[in-house]
Every structure is written in C-alpha cells, then in structure tokens.
Amino acid sequence: MTLRYAYNTNGLTSHRLDDALTLLADCGYDGVALTLDVAHHDPFAANLAARTDRLARRLRALGLASVVETGARFLLDPRRKHHPTLVSPDETDRARRRDFLRTCVDVAAGLGSEAVSFWAGVPEPGADRDRCWRWLADGVNDVVEHARRRGVRCAFEPEPGMLVEDCDDWSRLAVEVPGLTLALDTGHCLVSGRHEPAAAVHAFAGRLGACAIEDMPRGRHEHRAPGEGDLDFPAVLAALTQVGYGGLVSLELSRDAHRADTLVPAALAALRDAERAAASHAERSAVAAEVGT
C-alpha cells in the first residue's frame, strides 16, 4: 500500500488558505491537516457554516482529504498560548475550550474530515493532578459524545509536558472515554514516550485515529523538517504500511512557514524517498529469508 500524506496549515500561515491548499494539491499531497485559526478558517468569524460549505467544495475540487486540528496558539486568548484548556482550574474557561472543540467537530462534519485531533493541556503550577484528570475525562467525554452524534472521529494527541503526554497516558484516558482514538505524533515518542516511534505504531495500530510525522531531536520538543532530527523515517513509514494504516499522515512544521514554498515539496519528496527505502529493505529481507529456507 502507498501511504497518504497531508501538511498542517499551521506551517503555512504566510499563505492564504486557498493558496496553501492549491500548493499542497499541486505538490502531490493527498490531504490537509487544517488548524482552525485566525489565519485559516477562523471558527469565530461570521458565516462559519457557509464558509465551511465553500471550503468543502474547494477540497473536493482539489482532491484533498482533511483532518481538523485544534492547536491554534492564541485563538481563544490573545495573551496566553493555548489557554484555556480542558484542565484549566476555572470551569468557565474549561467550558470555552469544550465549546471550541465542539465547533471544530461541526466543521469536521461539514468538511467530511477523517478526524478531529485535540489534546489535554498543561496543568497550572501546583494543581491537583487527580482533579485535573477528572476535569479532562469529563471534558473529553463531552466532546466525544458530540462527535458521535455528528458522525466524526475524535483522536486524542499526547503532547510532551501536558497531562496526557505519551501513549500510556492516552491508554488510561481511553479506558474512561469509549470511542476515543489515538492521534499519534510519532516525533513526540522521541521526547516523552515510553515507546519508540515505530514500536508505538505497532502497539497502538488498532486504535489509531490520526497520525503525524516530523523530525525531532531526541529529548527535545522541536518540530523539524525530515533529516534535521533523530526520527527513523523508513522505520516509522514501514510500520504504518505493515499495520495497514489508511489515514492521512500529517507533517506538522509550525515554525517553518517562512520557507513553506520550498519545504512543502521537499518534505513530501523526503517522505516518498523514505517510504521507497523502507519498501526496498523489506523486499531484500524477504528475498534473503526465502533463500535461507
């Protein structure tokens, strides 16, 4: 099978959305990871439903599938990055995040997106983590139930430093939230995970609802272009192929919008090269095994 690749619009913030989508289609991407934000399909601007209908038509015309991402930095609070979250101490703040996530689900339903991806948030200093966990589970259940009614898949992403920061934390949450799938960012496994990236693909293959890939230096949460970190791309792509993952594999390079004109095509070429290298290695291994029997 051939993997399907997308690029996150948080790495295309110097482009108008339609220009970004056209660039992705022209370069050969299969889809887009759409981060709803002030620059791209602002969910708080007027006429959201009508704009979503137009965007859905545009995606179909370009042949692009989609996933909806919810990690806009200052969309909900212009002064505090990613605030509020599902683990904020104030109930009104948590409700704002839940309302936003339900809106994202509605946009995903309108676009026919493959999934909505979201995360927990960082507990406030000194916060009771058990209480934060209860807030989180309640909030995620609320969003997943809304998504179930809209026919949308929810994929929850472990993020380094957040209350749910690796796949094992996700497993604990999934026990409390029926229907929750995993949004696996394979680069994050190099930072806080107890699973190596390719091993995580195999271990959680049956629960994958979304997948992201980017290079990352081991132990540092820095999203980098392929070849600029420590991720074994052939191994991860081979694992995704072996488990039959059919969803979009999204590149998230949010700090590289200034070079998107060259990075968008170069990153896809690097992924295709890594995929071919993995397939070639698998073929050689199969031939060697056959000769040895």
Side-chain angles (χ1 to χ4, degrees):
M1 62 172 286
T2 300
L3 296 172
R4 302 164 59 240
Y5 296 110
Y7 200 97
N8 197 316
T9 57
N10 65 9
L12 288 157
T13 52
S14 294
H15 286 70
R16 298 179 185 89
L17 180 56
D18 191 65
D19 290 339
L21 297 176
T22 303
L23 175 63
L24 296 183
D26 288 348
C27 288
Y29 283 85
D30 303 285
V32 59
L34 175 65
T35 295
L36 302 187
D37 205 345
V38 293
H40 292 149
H41 208 63
D42 185 345
F44 300 122
N47 303 315
L48 178 60
R51 288 187 290 113
T52 299
D53 287 342
R54 289 195 297 273
L55 178 56
R57 291 193 296 271
R58 183 58 176 154
L59 290 174
R60 287 194 295 270
L62 292 171
L64 293 174
S66 65
V67 294
V68 170
E69 297 280 348
T70 61
R73 291 184 176 96
F74 297 102
L75 181 65
L76 299 185
D77 189 324
R79 293 176 175 83
R80 293 182 63 184
K81 178 182 175 183
H82 291 158
H83 179 79
T85 74
L86 293 173
V87 298
S88 293
D90 186 272
E91 165 56 25
T92 301
D93 284 340
R94 297 196 302 276
R96 286 177 57 213
R97 174 61 63 171
R98 292 195 302 270
D99 288 345
F100 166 62
L101 293 175
R102 285 193 291 264
T103 298
C104 292
V105 167
D106 294 339
V107 170
L111 297 178
S113 299
E114 296 181 5
V116 171
S117 174
F118 61 106
W119 34 248
V122 179
E124 295 284 334
D128 184 303
R129 294 182 72 86
D130 290 337
R131 180 176 296 177
C132 289
W133 189 270
R134 188 72 269 137
W135 293 334
L136 175 65
D138 289 346
V140 175
N141 267 301
D142 177 77
V143 175
V144 169
E145 176 57 25
H146 179 71
R148 184 192 63 77
R149 292 193 295 267
R150 297 304 313 270
V152 172
R153 174 189 294 145
C154 281
F156 195 91
E157 181 180 2
E159 282 271 357
M162 292 192 178
L163 186 62
V164 174
E165 68 174 353
D166 66 16
C167 294
D168 290 343
D169 293 333
W170 173 87
S171 294
R172 177 188 170 197
L173 180 63
V175 170
E176 301 188 42
V177 186
L180 187 67
T181 66
L182 172 65
L184 177 64
D185 187 314
T186 53
H188 290 169
C189 294
L190 295 176
V191 183
S192 60
R194 291 182 280 267
H195 303 265
E196 285 294 304
V201 171
H202 284 288
F204 296 92
R207 307 297 302 277
L208 293 180
C211 184
I213 192 168
E214 67 280 318
D215 223 338
M216 202 166 289
R218 187 174 292 276
R220 298 208 303 276
H221 190 189
E222 299 174 5
H223 289 232
R224 296 184 181 180
E228 297 179 0
D230 296 317
L231 189 74
D232 186 341
F233 279 84
V236 172
L237 299 180
L240 288 167
T241 300
Q242 290 159 8
V243 303
Y245 180 70
L248 292 170
V249 180
S250 303
L251 279 154
E252 185 177 0
L253 299 171
S254 61
R255 301 183 189 279
D256 290 286
H258 64 286
R259 55 173 179 156
D261 59 327
T262 57
L263 187 54
V264 166
L268 181 60
L271 290 175
R272 293 295 187 202
D273 286 345
E275 192 177 350
R276 284 190 289 269
S280 178
H281 176 73
E283 183 177 346
R284 291 194 303 271
S285 298
V287 170
E290 184 176 345
V291 170
T293 57

